[in-house]
Amino acid sequence: MKPCLALLRLILFSSCVTFASGVAGAEAPTTFADALYDKFQHARCLQCHQFNSRIHNGRAYNSHRSRYLCDNCHTNRITGLARGEWMAPEEKMDWTGMKPRDLCLMIKRNMGSGDVNAKLAEHMLHDGRVHWALDNGMTPNGKFPSVPGGSAEWARDVRAWAAGGMLCE
């Protein structure tokens, strides 16, 4: 009886070690904070997302007067975007200095109704304004510093976040 009990203990111990090592080796899902937060706080992103911000003295309050007249200066020659596509985000999209979880929840909340994750992924992967900011960044006053990694790294990080369930934790 004792050899059977010892064998059973050995089997149970081996199973627990195998299970624990499998769990430890499993990768945790990519969170917003891990994948994208630093890029969202980059100066090139904030220059547009602060545009209508009274709190951060956005350009709408110190040099520009309307987010609807943007492409009068931000022409196709500068941005690569068709007339009417260029428009600064609304004031509610100023995320300057927000904590990662709060920012993630805010951008999801501002996507409206429907499949928020799908709409957000579509915007971040295919919106010409986002790609302009990542790859070009040219303004009438010159170029702002590049977002590290450009659109290739951005797309990789967005896809990793999406594959992990677009977690805000």
Side-chain angles (χ1 to χ4, degrees):
M1 188 67 136
K2 286 186 180 182
C4 288
L5 189 55
L7 181 59
L8 182 59
R9 285 183 182 154
L10 180 62
I11 291 170
L12 284 172
F13 177 75
S14 298
S15 297
C16 289
V17 168
T18 302
F19 176 76
S21 66
V23 169
E27 279 191 43
T30 301
T31 66
F32 177 80
D34 295 331
L36 297 166
Y37 177 75
D38 288 341
K39 289 179 172 69
F40 270 68
Q41 296 301 321
H42 190 275
R44 192 178 280 183
C45 298
L46 291 176
Q47 79 173 1
C48 289
H49 280 272
Q50 289 176 346
F51 183 86
N52 287 295
S53 174
R54 290 186 176 135
I55 295 170
H56 295 105
N57 196 28
R59 291 181 185 265
Y61 298 96
N62 65 38
S63 65
H64 294 59
R65 295 294 172 242
S66 173
R67 68 187 278 260
Y68 299 102
L69 301 174
C70 297
D71 59 14
N72 286 344
C73 298
H74 296 265
T75 63
N76 173 273
R77 183 180 56 77
I78 293 173
T79 66
L81 298 169
R83 185 155 183 83
E85 282 186 55
W86 191 260
M87 187 184 306
E90 298 176 46
E91 184 172 15
K92 68 181 182 177
M93 291 302 293
D94 178 13
W95 54 60
T96 307
M98 292 180 81
K99 293 187 182 338
R101 184 176 190 284
D102 295 336
L103 170 52
C104 179
L105 292 172
M106 187 265 288
I107 61 175
K108 285 185 169 195
R109 184 177 57 248
N110 286 328
M111 288 309 297
S113 60
D115 187 343
V116 171
N117 287 354
K119 287 167 55 176
L120 186 56
E122 175 69 21
H123 169 66
M124 293 194 309
L125 291 171
H126 303 291
D127 190 305
R129 295 166 295 184
V130 172
H131 286 278
W132 164 85
L134 294 167
D135 295 328
N136 178 345
M138 184 59 73
T139 70
N141 292 327
K143 212 172 202 178
F144 274 72
S146 298
V147 176
S151 61
E153 188 176 300
W154 172 263
R156 180 200 68 202
D157 293 345
V158 169
R159 287 187 179 105
W161 182 48
M166 295 181 112
L167 300 176
C168 291
E169 282 55 4

